Every structure is written in C-alpha cells, then in structure tokens.
Amino acid sequence: MIFDVLRRRHVALTPEEWVRQHFVHYLMEHKGYPKGLLVNETELRIGDKRLRCDTVLYDKELQPRMIIEYKAPQITIQQKTFDQISVYNLLLHADFLVVSNGLQHYCCQMDYERRSYRFLTEIPDYDTIK
C-alpha cells in the first residue's frame, strides 16, 4: 500500500500506481504544479460507458488543462496508449496530453484551431501553462 496525497487515502502499490505516485510528486515538487488542481482517477462518462483518467490537471476555473495516462514500467508506450488518452480528450478538451511508463514520457500540446498537436521536448513547468 502507498498513501496517495491527492486521493488522501492508501491505495494498492501496483506497478502503474508506482509510476503515478512518482510522476505526481515530480509535477508538484519539481515542476510547481499545485496539489489542489491535480486529481487522480477522474471518472468520465460517455453514455453508459465509464472511463477513468489517471490524472487530470485543472486550471483555477476548474477547466481541464492536462490529462496524464500512466502505464507500468514494463509496458511499452504504443499508439494505443495515445488512442486511449485521445478518447478522454474528446470529452475534456485539455491543452496538454502526457503519457508515461515511468521510464519514457511523452507530452504533446494540442492546437485546436489547426486541428493538430506538437510534441514537447519536456514536461512544461506549471508557470508556463497556467
């Protein structure tokens, strides 16, 4: 078990959870992301279907700014991971999408006007995206 500071409870320490906890602490401690604007395990609904975003960063108006999807370290990040986070973004319309397996991290910034995205070389600091 490990204590999740965002959910304020102990959760099972699976390989994916290990990645989530380390990544969330990295965002807060090294990138300046406010704890109060990060949420783990956000539930989304598409009709009768329920989906869960691993982590979502909201802005101060509680609009989604970033969606983060985690995989266990032994899972290779593939196109289907990006497909999965894209489905979440159809509902949330976040500006940034991140996928990580704890070893590899990919971050892209959405451009809704041009219907495109661009990959960033690193996870942006909070001050640059707020």
Side-chain angles (χ1 to χ4, degrees):
M1 301 294 285
I2 188 167
F3 187 75
D4 182 331
V5 296
L6 301 183
R7 290 179 272 184
R8 294 185 214 121
R9 63 182 172 90
H10 284 89
V11 296
L13 184 56
T14 63
E16 184 177 312
E17 192 62 42
W18 181 91
V19 173
R20 178 191 343 262
Q21 294 304 316
H22 280 82
F23 204 88
V24 164
H25 283 271
Y26 169 74
L27 291 176
M28 292 185 307
E29 295 166 17
H30 298 280
K31 294 291 186 173
Y33 287 57
K35 177 180 160 183
L37 298 178
L38 290 164
V39 178
N40 282 340
E41 296 287 321
T42 299
E43 185 177 283
L44 303 175
R45 292 184 185 188
I46 301 176
D48 293 339
K49 191 173 187 178
R50 291 182 175 180
L51 305 170
R52 286 196 186 273
C53 290
D54 287 337
T55 302
V56 177
L57 169 71
Y58 293 92
D59 64 18
K60 291 180 181 175
E61 286 77 39
L62 300 180
Q63 297 301 308
R65 293 281 298 159
M66 179 182 286
I67 303 170
I68 309 165
E69 178 64 27
Y70 307 106
K71 297 297 177 194
Q74 70 272 16
I75 304 295
T76 303
I77 295 173
Q78 299 178 2
Q79 182 61 46
K80 66 181 180 179
T81 309
F82 290 99
D83 295 343
Q84 179 182 5
I85 200 169
S86 295
V87 169
Y88 301 155
N89 202 37
L90 288 174
L91 294 171
L92 297 179
H93 303 284
D95 296 317
F96 297 89
L97 305 179
V98 177
V99 295
S100 177
N101 66 2
L103 305 171
Q104 295 177 303
H105 321 289
Y106 299 94
C107 179
C108 64
Q109 183 173 10
M110 304 301 295
D111 184 339
Y112 292 104
E113 287 182 19
R114 294 186 177 124
R115 294 183 164 186
S116 66
Y117 58 89
R118 69 180 175 97
F119 280 93
L120 305 178
T121 56
E122 64 181 67
I123 308 299
D125 290 339
Y126 179 73
D127 285 342
T128 65
I129 66 168
K130 63 180 178 179

